[in-house]
Amino acid sequence: MSDGKAIGGRTAQLQHTGLRHGWTTGACATAATTAAYTALLTGEFPDPVTITLPKGQTPAFALAAEELPAGGGAAMAAIVKDAGDDPDVTHGALVRATVRVLPPGSGVVFRAGPGVGTVTRPGLPLAVGEPAINPVPRQMMREHVAAVAARYGGTGDVEIEVSVDHGEEIARSTWNPRLGILGGISILGTTGIVVPYSCSAWIDSIRRGVDVARAAGRTHVAGCTGATSEKVAVAVHGLPEDALLDMGDFAGAVLKYIRRHPVDRLTVAGGFAKLSKLAAGHLDLHSARSQVNKEFLAGLARHGGGDDALAAAVTAANTGLEALRLCEAAGVPLGDLVAATARDEALAVLRGAPVAVDVLCIDRAGVIVGRAGPRGPRDA
């Protein structure tokens, strides 16, 4: 705040909670990969090892274990995941990366080691048979391998095997088995940072975010479920940082506070699956407290012109994303239908407050898959 301006958005909210952030499994795997590949090329493990996250932060990680067998064909480094003050089931897990040299031209190949799951059903952002290492962590690891190769004269052609001690046991406390991710946990993360969600502290921070936006004269704010949807809201509407509210799973907290402290316009932006929960009437979008209702989505598909066969396929879909893709293939605009229904649910919670609401639904890559234009109480 050296320029005298109030800080808004996600940064201000995290500061306001007073909670300590942590690091994703994807960040830990990237750090372990970087250390292991550096050791392969130099014979020494950097400890601590520093990586660069998608938003430019450069955290350093201490190594919990390292192995460089004679022969130099492989190296292993391990990081203990620190989730900060978030009640994350993977807090304290040992994330290992074993890096093996491949022939030139092989590129970077990912393998699931013990404790990391394998995808067995469609509907996820990874193909069936792939290790459950999500796209952003994969990209982070590729970029760091390339940087290490450029620095120390390697080719960058490696196999990365990620494993997590006791990962299969940890996965029983997650949704992985139900989603068809078998054998362990997923390696996740879009920013590399775990934002701690104390319900009361985070809801209070949402309220302060609205207050900051109103004090700055903002008439249009966006409630976003995460960093990717925040980027989309900025790209679509050109909103400044102090107009951005990191609502996370707490859609109800945003709507109820804005009902009492109105702004002219509210954009709700988030992943398709989360916003389908809002469309179904849920105000808490956390996976432990609400689930994607495939029968509800099937009803929307019918409303959009889908036949009984499509409705049955949507009901049987593994994930909300798979239901969306089925409808897209059939020419049924399920994304737009979810966005419009979520907008109407938001207006119902606002109870006639003078606020126009629009909705942006995105997929995991940040592509808009559904949208509903602004509608206010006079249009209802």
mmCIF file of all heavy atoms in Angstrom, residues 21 25 50 62 77 92 108 146 176 200 221-222 225 246 267 283 325 347 375:
data_model
loop_
_atom_site.group_PDB
_atom_site.id
_atom_site.type_symbol
_atom_site.label_atom_id
_atom_site.label_comp_id
_atom_site.label_asym_id
_atom_site.label_seq_id
_atom_site.Cartn_x
_atom_site.Cartn_y
_atom_site.Cartn_z
ATOM 1 N N HIS A 21 -0.805 -19.330 4.309
ATOM 2 C CA HIS A 21 -1.031 -20.134 3.119
ATOM 3 C C HIS A 21 -0.029 -21.289 3.063
ATOM 4 O O HIS A 21 0.947 -21.317 3.801
ATOM 5 C CB HIS A 21 -0.936 -19.278 1.848
ATOM 6 C CG HIS A 21 0.436 -18.738 1.576
ATOM 7 N ND1 HIS A 21 0.769 -17.426 1.763
ATOM 8 C CD2 HIS A 21 1.567 -19.346 1.128
ATOM 9 C CE1 HIS A 21 2.035 -17.246 1.445
ATOM 10 N NE2 HIS A 21 2.543 -18.390 1.055
ATOM 11 N N THR A 25 0.207 -29.800 -3.931
ATOM 12 C CA THR A 25 0.990 -30.980 -4.290
ATOM 13 C C THR A 25 1.733 -30.746 -5.605
ATOM 14 O O THR A 25 2.840 -31.254 -5.803
ATOM 15 C CB THR A 25 0.097 -32.224 -4.406
ATOM 16 O OG1 THR A 25 -1.047 -31.917 -5.210
ATOM 17 C CG2 THR A 25 -0.342 -32.723 -3.039
ATOM 18 N N THR A 50 14.523 -23.694 -5.129
ATOM 19 C CA THR A 50 13.599 -22.595 -5.411
ATOM 20 C C THR A 50 12.928 -22.816 -6.757
ATOM 21 O O THR A 50 13.584 -23.206 -7.732
ATOM 22 C CB THR A 50 14.343 -21.249 -5.428
ATOM 23 O OG1 THR A 50 14.940 -21.033 -4.149
ATOM 24 C CG2 THR A 50 13.394 -20.094 -5.724
ATOM 25 N N ALA A 62 12.672 -27.055 1.377
ATOM 26 C CA ALA A 62 13.723 -27.918 1.922
ATOM 27 C C ALA A 62 13.476 -29.353 1.467
ATOM 28 O O ALA A 62 12.323 -29.802 1.387
ATOM 29 C CB ALA A 62 13.720 -27.845 3.444
ATOM 30 N N ALA A 77 14.131 -36.863 -5.404
ATOM 31 C CA ALA A 77 14.064 -35.867 -4.338
ATOM 32 C C ALA A 77 12.646 -35.849 -3.790
ATOM 33 O O ALA A 77 11.691 -36.165 -4.511
ATOM 34 C CB ALA A 77 14.460 -34.482 -4.851
ATOM 35 N N GLY A 92 1.392 -32.585 5.230
ATOM 36 C CA GLY A 92 2.383 -33.474 5.809
ATOM 37 C C GLY A 92 2.764 -34.658 4.938
ATOM 38 O O GLY A 92 3.655 -35.434 5.312
ATOM 39 N N VAL A 108 9.132 -34.874 -22.243
ATOM 40 C CA VAL A 108 8.884 -35.142 -20.828
ATOM 41 C C VAL A 108 7.727 -36.123 -20.720
ATOM 42 O O VAL A 108 6.637 -35.871 -21.250
ATOM 43 C CB VAL A 108 8.563 -33.846 -20.061
ATOM 44 C CG1 VAL A 108 8.216 -34.156 -18.600
ATOM 45 C CG2 VAL A 108 9.737 -32.876 -20.126
ATOM 46 N N ALA A 146 12.947 -27.708 -18.419
ATOM 47 C CA ALA A 146 13.582 -26.973 -19.524
ATOM 48 C C ALA A 146 14.591 -25.961 -19.001
ATOM 49 O O ALA A 146 15.682 -25.789 -19.573
ATOM 50 C CB ALA A 146 12.517 -26.289 -20.367
ATOM 51 N N ASN A 176 -11.455 -39.057 -5.124
ATOM 52 C CA ASN A 176 -10.799 -39.786 -6.206
ATOM 53 C C ASN A 176 -11.425 -41.147 -6.515
ATOM 54 O O ASN A 176 -11.676 -41.457 -7.683
ATOM 55 C CB ASN A 176 -9.310 -39.948 -5.905
ATOM 56 C CG ASN A 176 -8.506 -38.737 -6.346
ATOM 57 O OD1 ASN A 176 -9.061 -37.677 -6.591
ATOM 58 N ND2 ASN A 176 -7.200 -38.890 -6.430
ATOM 59 N N SER A 200 -15.357 -18.779 8.808
ATOM 60 C CA SER A 200 -15.715 -17.484 9.376
ATOM 61 C C SER A 200 -14.749 -16.399 8.921
ATOM 62 O O SER A 200 -15.160 -15.279 8.565
ATOM 63 C CB SER A 200 -15.739 -17.561 10.903
ATOM 64 O OG SER A 200 -14.478 -17.961 11.406
ATOM 65 N N VAL A 221 -18.588 -5.453 -9.471
ATOM 66 C CA VAL A 221 -17.634 -6.350 -8.819
ATOM 67 C C VAL A 221 -17.850 -7.753 -9.354
ATOM 68 O O VAL A 221 -18.900 -8.060 -9.948
ATOM 69 C CB VAL A 221 -17.783 -6.335 -7.280
ATOM 70 C CG1 VAL A 221 -17.578 -4.933 -6.719
ATOM 71 C CG2 VAL A 221 -19.133 -6.901 -6.852
ATOM 72 N N ALA A 222 -16.848 -8.610 -9.128
ATOM 73 C CA ALA A 222 -16.945 -9.997 -9.571
ATOM 74 C C ALA A 222 -16.636 -10.927 -8.417
ATOM 75 O O ALA A 222 -15.618 -10.778 -7.748
ATOM 76 C CB ALA A 222 -15.979 -10.272 -10.723
ATOM 77 N N THR A 225 -14.709 -18.032 -8.111
ATOM 78 C CA THR A 225 -14.454 -19.232 -7.315
ATOM 79 C C THR A 225 -12.975 -19.546 -7.193
ATOM 80 O O THR A 225 -12.583 -20.349 -6.353
ATOM 81 C CB THR A 225 -15.174 -20.455 -7.908
ATOM 82 O OG1 THR A 225 -14.729 -20.658 -9.255
ATOM 83 C CG2 THR A 225 -16.682 -20.252 -7.900
ATOM 84 N N ASP A 246 -12.654 -12.909 -4.001
ATOM 85 C CA ASP A 246 -12.361 -14.339 -4.019
ATOM 86 C C ASP A 246 -13.404 -15.028 -3.140
ATOM 87 O O ASP A 246 -13.212 -15.220 -1.950
ATOM 88 C CB ASP A 246 -10.951 -14.588 -3.494
ATOM 89 C CG ASP A 246 -10.568 -16.059 -3.586
ATOM 90 O OD1 ASP A 246 -11.376 -16.847 -4.111
ATOM 91 O OD2 ASP A 246 -9.477 -16.408 -3.142
ATOM 92 N N THR A 267 -20.814 -9.782 -11.262
ATOM 93 C CA THR A 267 -20.489 -10.919 -12.126
ATOM 94 C C THR A 267 -20.123 -12.104 -11.236
ATOM 95 O O THR A 267 -19.298 -11.965 -10.333
ATOM 96 C CB THR A 267 -19.303 -10.596 -13.050
ATOM 97 O OG1 THR A 267 -19.686 -9.548 -13.954
ATOM 98 C CG2 THR A 267 -18.876 -11.821 -13.851
ATOM 99 N N LEU A 283 -25.728 -22.758 -1.799
ATOM 100 C CA LEU A 283 -24.983 -21.515 -1.570
ATOM 101 C C LEU A 283 -23.577 -21.784 -1.058
ATOM 102 O O LEU A 283 -22.741 -20.886 -1.061
ATOM 103 C CB LEU A 283 -25.746 -20.621 -0.588
ATOM 104 C CG LEU A 283 -27.134 -20.164 -1.056
ATOM 105 C CD1 LEU A 283 -27.764 -19.236 -0.032
ATOM 106 C CD2 LEU A 283 -27.066 -19.501 -2.417
ATOM 107 N N ARG A 325 -19.666 -31.976 -21.850
ATOM 108 C CA ARG A 325 -19.157 -32.393 -23.162
ATOM 109 C C ARG A 325 -20.190 -33.227 -23.918
ATOM 110 O O ARG A 325 -20.306 -33.122 -25.147
ATOM 111 C CB ARG A 325 -17.860 -33.184 -22.992
ATOM 112 C CG ARG A 325 -16.721 -32.423 -22.329
ATOM 113 C CD ARG A 325 -16.428 -31.103 -23.002
ATOM 114 N NE ARG A 325 -15.294 -30.413 -22.406
ATOM 115 C CZ ARG A 325 -15.154 -29.095 -22.368
ATOM 116 N NH1 ARG A 325 -16.082 -28.315 -22.894
ATOM 117 N NH2 ARG A 325 -14.081 -28.549 -21.812
ATOM 118 N N LEU A 347 -30.240 -14.033 -8.176
ATOM 119 C CA LEU A 347 -31.231 -12.955 -8.050
ATOM 120 C C LEU A 347 -32.255 -13.272 -6.962
ATOM 121 O O LEU A 347 -32.696 -12.368 -6.238
ATOM 122 C CB LEU A 347 -31.937 -12.731 -9.388
ATOM 123 C CG LEU A 347 -31.086 -12.059 -10.485
ATOM 124 C CD1 LEU A 347 -31.799 -12.126 -11.824
ATOM 125 C CD2 LEU A 347 -30.788 -10.607 -10.107
ATOM 126 N N ARG A 375 -28.902 -9.424 -15.697
ATOM 127 C CA ARG A 375 -30.345 -9.355 -15.439
ATOM 128 C C ARG A 375 -30.525 -8.835 -14.020
ATOM 129 O O ARG A 375 -29.795 -9.220 -13.115
ATOM 130 C CB ARG A 375 -30.972 -10.743 -15.571
ATOM 131 C CG ARG A 375 -32.487 -10.734 -15.501
ATOM 132 C CD ARG A 375 -33.027 -12.136 -15.696
ATOM 133 N NE ARG A 375 -34.482 -12.162 -15.743
ATOM 134 C CZ ARG A 375 -35.210 -13.263 -15.751
ATOM 135 N NH1 ARG A 375 -34.613 -14.440 -15.721
ATOM 136 N NH2 ARG A 375 -36.524 -13.204 -15.781
#
